[in-house]
Amino acid sequence: MLAQLHRHRRPQHGVPFLVTNHGYGVLWDNPSRTVIEPGFNEETRWTSEVGDRVSFFVIAGDSTDEIYGGYRQLTGTTPVASQSRLRVHPVQAALQLAG
């Protein structure tokens, strides 16, 4: 699958943040294109096209809420739109728009 994605050269974008089921998250701090290859035997390979150093943050927590709280401390919070700018549509109208 990974080789197929490279062959077609589709643009790939993602959030450089990984939350594990072992009580920690990893924020990858490298702006260049990075390929993550999940491996066997507990080995995962992270490869970036550009960069002389590796920069990442490990965020520990007793719950995913704590881990995401640490992520927010590093990156800041997402602004919420004011209620006056939000438009609420009935379910039927939303389904018609989507359909």
Side-chain angles (χ1 to χ4, degrees):
M1 180 73 170
L2 185 62
Q4 184 180 11
L5 291 176
H6 290 295
R7 189 171 54 236
H8 293 294
R9 295 287 184 201
R10 288 187 241 159
Q12 300 288 316
H13 304 283
V15 177
F17 184 58
L18 166 74
V19 176
T20 72
N21 59 350
H22 296 288
Y24 67 93
V26 177
L27 175 62
W28 185 253
D29 186 24
N30 189 328
S32 72
R33 182 173 179 234
T34 300
V35 176
I36 303 168
E37 300 174 71
F40 296 103
N41 299 325
E42 299 182 18
E43 180 179 321
T44 297
R45 183 178 300 227
W46 298 56
T47 309
S48 293
E49 290 181 346
V50 178
D52 295 331
R53 295 181 216 147
V54 173
S55 178
F56 61 92
F57 298 89
V58 177
I59 305 164
D62 291 328
S63 67
T64 53
D65 286 342
E66 286 186 15
I67 295 169
Y68 283 113
Y71 176 81
R72 281 190 299 277
Q73 284 183 339
L74 287 171
T75 63
T77 59
T78 303
V80 177
S82 68
Q83 290 289 38
S84 63
R85 295 178 60 191
L86 294 177
R87 293 175 40 189
V88 179
H89 297 284
V91 173
Q92 292 297 339
L95 291 173
Q96 286 177 345
L97 289 172

